[in-house]
Amino acid sequence: MSPIETNAVLNRLPNHLKQFIKPQNYDAYSSIDHAVWRYVMRKNVSFLSQYAHKSYLNGLKQTGISIDNIPNMYGMNRILKDIGWAAVAVDGFIPPNAFMEFQAYNVLVIASDIRQLEHIEYTPAPDIIHEAAGHAPIIANPEYAEYLRRFGEIGSKAISSAKDYELYEAVRYLSIIKEAPNSTEKEITTAEQHVETLQKNMGKPSEMALIRNLHWWTVEYGLIGTLEQPKIYGAGLLSSIGESAWCMTNEVKKIPYSIDATFKDFDITKPQPQLFVTPDFSYLSLILEEFANTMALRKGGLSGVQKLIESNALGSIELSTGIQISGVFSKVYEHKGHPIYIELQNATALAYREKELAGHGIENHPNGFGSPIGKLKGINLAIEDMSPRDLAAYHIYEEKVVTLEFEGGITVSGEIITGKRNLQGKIILISFKDCTVTYNDTILFKPEWGNYDMAVGKAISSAFSGPADLNSFELITHKPSTETIHIKKSPERIELENLYQQVRDYRTKKNQTISRTKVLEVLIDKHPSDWLLPIEIYELAMTSHDEDLCAQLLKHLETVKQNRPELGKLIDDGLEIIDKKPKAPP
C-alpha cells in the first residue's frame, strides 16, 4: 500500500477527520483499471479542451495528473501543496458534514476505487476519475479554490435532519452495489426503491439538504459563462465522458444560476435534465453568502435551536455574550416567539471562541445542561450589559442569595458562587449553589442535583452543527454500515488482466518482446466481447504502421459492435482519438 504521505495542509486536520482517511493501495489497481483511466482521460482531454473552463487543462498540469496512469494521490500532494491544497483517499461516500469540513481545511477527499470497465461512461459511486480528474484540476484556479474552501467552512456547520443520515447511508449503499460486479438486478432495484421512498418522505428540507443542492449544481454539475455558450467546470461533468458531451446539447436545459438552485433536488443515478450556468466564479461566492444568511449559523434564534432539536445530533448554540453550549439539544421553552430556556440531554460542554471553558467539559456536565435565555423581568438592562455597580444593585454578586426572574416565567433562585467574564468584561456564566430553577410551576433544577451553572445571554445569535470545541467530544466514532465490495477475481478475469498488462508493458517499453498479434488472437478466442484492449493495441499498431494488424483489429471491433451495439459509440470515440474516424475494411 502507498503510505499516507503528510504535508503542512494535512497536518492541520483534526483527528476526527483523519478517521476517514485510508491508504490508497496503489498496487491494487489492475492493468484494466489503468486502461479505463487512460481511455476516459484521453477522451475527456480531447473533448474538454474545447468545452471545459480554461482552468481545466492548466489545472491538469499544475496538479500533476497524468493522462496515461492513475494518479498516486499522495504523490499528488507534493504538487498540490504549491497551491495550498492536499488530497486524501477515502472509501466512497463519507458523511456530508465531514466531506464539507475536509474542504474547509483545503483537502480534497478522493474515493480511491475506480469504476468498472462496464460503467466507463458514468458511475453513481465516487471514484478516482471523478475526484482526481474532476475536482483536482479546477482548484488550481485560486478564485474557485477559495469558493470551495469557503463552501466547506459554511457547509460543515449546516444542520442536518435525522432523516438526512438515513438517506446518506441508503445512497452510499446504492452506489456501492451499483458498482459491485456481482450485484443482482433485484438488489439494485430494491436499493433504488428504498432511496426513492426516503427522498419522497424527507419532510421539510434541512440546511444540509439545501446546501448539498447548491454543492451539486455548482461543484459537481456546474456550467460557467453564457447560456448560449457555457463551459464546464463541475467535477461530475468533467469526469463523465457521456454526460459532458450530452450536457452541451439542447436536450439539457440551461438555467441562470441563482439562490433558486437551493430548492432543486437531484438524482445521483441519472443524467441531469437541467443545469445551472454561473457567469463567473465570483458569482458562486455571492450566492453562497446569500444562502449562508438564511442559516441558523447566522440567524440563531428560536428556529435555530429547534433545528438542532430536530437533528437529534451533536450541535451548538452561541449566545449574545459569545458563550457556546454544545451537546444534543432536547427541549426549548419559548415565549412570544423567543427562546427563554434550553435543555440538553447527556454530555454537554461550554466554550468561548471555540475553546472549552476550564471546568466545563463533558465530565463536568455528563447528564445534560439547562439555562435561561433573555432579559430579567421588568429590567431593561440585560445581565450581560450591566456594569459592576448595576450587578451589585441587583445583588448579582458572589456569596449573595438572589432570585432572578426572567421574562417568560423562568426563575433562578440560589447563592451565587462565582462568575466568568469574556474578553470584553461581560459576564458569560454564573454558578450557583443551593439553586432551584422553575418555569411557572414546573421545577427544572433542584438543589440536590449539585451546583447550577447558568449561561448568560439575552439571545441566541448562532446555532450550528457539531461542537464549538472539536476536542470537547469523542468524535472518532464513524462506522459506515456498508463498505465498498471487492470480490475475488475469476481465472478468466486474471487472464484478461494479464493480456492488458502485456500491452501496457509494451507501450511503456517495459517489455517489447511480446507479440501483439498473439495477444489479439487469445483475446478473440477467450474474451471476444472485450472492446478496450483492441483499441489499445490498435493505437500501438498505428504508431508502428502495422497495416495488417490494424485491419484485423478494425474487423474484430466491427464484430464486437454488431454483437454489442451499446458499445458502438465508445469504440468509435476511442478510434477517433487515435486516427480521426478510420474506415473499417470491406
Side-chain angles (χ1 to χ4, degrees):
M1 288 191 180
S2 302
I4 300 176
E5 297 180 25
T6 189
N7 62 24
V9 177
L10 294 180
N11 289 339
R12 292 190 295 111
L13 282 176
N15 287 332
H16 74 278
L17 289 181
K18 293 176 182 177
Q19 68 184 306
F20 298 103
I21 301 173
K22 70 169 195 174
Q24 185 181 11
N25 194 10
Y26 193 84
D27 293 339
Y29 295 122
S30 71
S31 50
I32 297 178
D33 293 334
H34 282 284
V36 166
W37 170 273
R38 189 166 181 267
Y39 178 92
V40 173
M41 289 303 294
R42 282 158 61 86
K43 177 77 175 73
N44 275 1
V45 170
S46 173
F47 177 80
L48 294 171
S49 59
Q50 300 176 61
Y51 294 102
H53 186 268
K54 60 185 179 181
S55 298
Y56 176 73
L57 292 179
N58 293 335
L60 282 177
K61 297 172 188 173
Q62 280 187 259
T63 50
I65 295 173
S66 162
I67 288 175
D68 289 323
N69 304 297
I70 296 171
N72 182 321
M73 67 188 68
Y74 297 106
M76 276 173 60
N77 277 334
R78 288 191 288 271
I79 299 168
L80 283 172
K81 70 178 181 181
D82 292 336
I83 57 174
W85 281 70
V88 295
V90 298
D91 182 24
F93 283 113
I94 63 173
N97 284 91
F99 179 86
M100 301 278 188
E101 199 173 353
F102 270 110
Q103 279 184 198
Y105 282 93
N106 287 28
V107 175
L108 278 180
V109 290
I110 296 180
S112 56
D113 289 311
I114 188 166
R115 64 194 64 177
Q116 296 177 71
L117 176 55
E118 292 75 19
H119 299 156
I120 195 168
E121 288 195 281
Y122 173 79
T123 173
D127 80 330
I128 196 165
I129 293 177
H130 171 83
E131 311 284 7
H135 285 295
I138 298 296
I139 66 166
N141 180 299
E143 194 170 27
Y144 181 75
E146 173 55 19
Y147 167 71
L148 203 61
R149 185 203 66 78
R150 183 68 173 149
F151 200 110
E153 195 171 54
I154 292 171
S156 63
K157 299 296 186 183
I159 301 170
S160 300
S161 72
K163 289 184 177 180
D164 283 336
Y165 196 80
E166 188 180 358
L167 179 61
Y168 152 73
E169 288 285 9
V171 168
R172 176 181 164 85
Y173 175 69
L174 173 60
S175 72
I176 287 172
I177 64 165
K178 270 203 161 189
E179 188 60 26
N182 60 339
S183 298
T184 66
E185 283 298 321
K186 184 179 179 182
E187 286 176 322
I188 293 173
T189 301
T190 301
E192 286 178 335
Q193 288 173 345
H194 182 48
V195 169
E196 191 175 337
T197 300
L198 287 174
Q199 286 176 328
K200 288 179 178 177
N201 295 279
M202 294 296 289
K204 185 181 178 182
S206 68
E207 289 181 348
M208 178 54 74
L210 294 175
I211 202 168
R212 281 187 69 211
N213 285 348
L214 284 188
H215 194 272
W216 182 265
W217 298 122
T218 61
V219 175
E220 297 294 352
Y221 279 81
L223 298 177
I224 187 168
T226 64
L227 294 180
E228 296 73 29
Q229 289 187 308
K231 298 290 186 182
I232 298 169
Y233 74 92
L237 296 172
L238 292 174
S239 61
S240 172
I241 57 179
E243 201 162 359
S244 60
W246 187 61
C247 80
M248 289 288 106
T249 69
N250 291 329
E251 292 183 60
V252 178
K253 186 179 180 182
K254 314 300 191 299
I255 305 169
Y257 181 59
S258 71
I259 194 71
D260 294 341
T262 312
F263 300 98
K264 190 66 180 175
D265 294 330
F266 57 87
D267 183 345
I268 70 159
T269 67
K270 298 172 184 174
Q272 308 307 312
Q274 76 287 304
L275 295 173
F276 292 88
V277 185
T278 182
D280 48 45
F281 288 140
S282 295
Y283 191 70
L284 297 179
S285 296
L286 189 150
I287 297 299
L288 176 62
E289 294 300 326
E290 187 178 341
F291 176 76
N293 287 336
T294 70
M295 292 172 59
L297 175 68
R298 294 185 180 174
K299 296 186 76 172
L302 178 62
S303 64
V305 73
Q306 285 173 333
K307 287 178 182 179
L308 288 175
I309 292 169
E310 289 165 11
S311 75
N312 196 32
L314 179 60
S316 302
I317 63 170
E318 182 174 320
L319 302 187
S320 46
T321 55
I323 191 170
Q324 296 163 316
I325 305 166
S326 301
V328 178
F329 288 77
S330 56
K331 193 169 184 178
V332 59
Y333 296 82
E334 60 179 288
H335 177 69
K336 294 183 178 179
H338 297 284
I340 58 171
Y341 196 87
I342 49 99
E343 287 182 348
L344 296 87
Q345 59 188 19
N346 303 326
T348 303
L350 309 181
Y352 180 72
R353 291 191 172 177
E354 288 73 51
K355 187 174 181 181
E356 186 180 289
L357 294 177
H360 291 282
I362 60 174
E363 65 278 4
N364 306 104
H365 304 286
N367 301 314
F369 185 83
S371 184
I373 294 160
K375 294 181 178 179
L376 296 176
K377 187 177 179 180
I379 302 174
N380 252 348
L381 204 57
I383 292 176
E384 65 204 68
D385 297 326
M386 290 181 179
S387 67
R389 186 168 293 177
D390 293 325
L391 292 169
Y394 289 109
H395 301 290
I396 303 173
Y397 211 80
E398 280 84 349
E399 299 184 351
K400 294 285 186 181
V401 176
V402 66
T403 295
L404 303 175
E405 289 187 58
F406 288 82
E407 292 176 342
I410 301 292
T411 301
V412 178
S413 298
E415 182 181 335
I416 296 177
I417 304 171
T418 187
K420 287 185 183 290
R421 296 178 185 270
N422 65 15
L423 293 175
Q424 287 73 39
K426 292 185 177 183
I427 290 182
I428 61 173
L429 186 74
I430 301 174
S431 297
F432 297 81
K433 66 179 181 180
D434 298 325
C435 187
T436 300
V437 182
T438 59
Y439 171 57
N440 296 330
D441 296 327
T442 303
I443 296 177
L444 303 177
F445 191 90
K446 299 178 180 179
E448 55 265 33
W449 293 353
N451 293 340
Y452 179 71
D453 296 301
M454 184 183 83
V456 176
K458 57 188 172 188
I460 297 174
S461 56
S462 180
F464 53 90
S465 174
D469 185 336
L470 295 174
N471 297 311
S472 291
F473 294 82
E474 174 54 67
L475 300 175
I476 306 176
T477 57
H478 180 69
K479 294 286 187 293
S481 60
T482 48
E483 293 186 353
T484 303
I485 299 166
H486 300 282
I487 64 167
K488 189 176 179 181
K489 295 176 182 177
S490 66
E492 293 77 19
R493 173 73 179 193
I494 294 171
E495 180 185 52
L496 181 60
E497 287 183 1
N498 182 51
L499 294 175
Y500 270 83
Q501 188 62 51
Q502 289 181 55
V503 173
R504 181 175 171 80
D505 288 345
Y506 187 96
R507 189 179 66 251
T508 59
K509 296 182 171 56
K510 187 176 181 181
N511 180 4
Q512 292 196 307
T513 63
I514 66 160
S515 167
R516 293 164 298 173
T517 304
K518 180 66 175 174
V519 170
L520 178 59
E521 289 173 359
V522 175
L523 188 75
I524 292 173
D525 181 40
K526 298 289 184 65
H527 309 279
S529 64
D530 183 81
W531 63 273
L532 183 53
L533 188 56
I535 288 176
E536 294 258 301
I537 301 172
Y538 180 80
E539 182 185 4
L540 296 174
M542 283 288 292
T543 304
S544 62
H545 306 290
D546 190 335
E547 294 181 5
D548 289 342
L549 183 54
C550 283
Q552 290 179 57
L553 286 158
L554 290 174
K555 184 176 180 181
H556 171 60
L557 286 168
E558 280 300 316
T559 302
V560 174
K561 284 163 65 174
Q562 288 169 16
N563 294 333
R564 299 181 66 189
E566 73 277 10
L567 298 177
K569 189 173 188 311
L570 287 168
I571 292 170
D572 290 344
D573 287 349
L575 294 173
E576 183 181 357
I577 292 170
I578 298 166
D579 69 350
K580 303 297 180 187
K581 299 182 181 177
K583 294 285 189 281

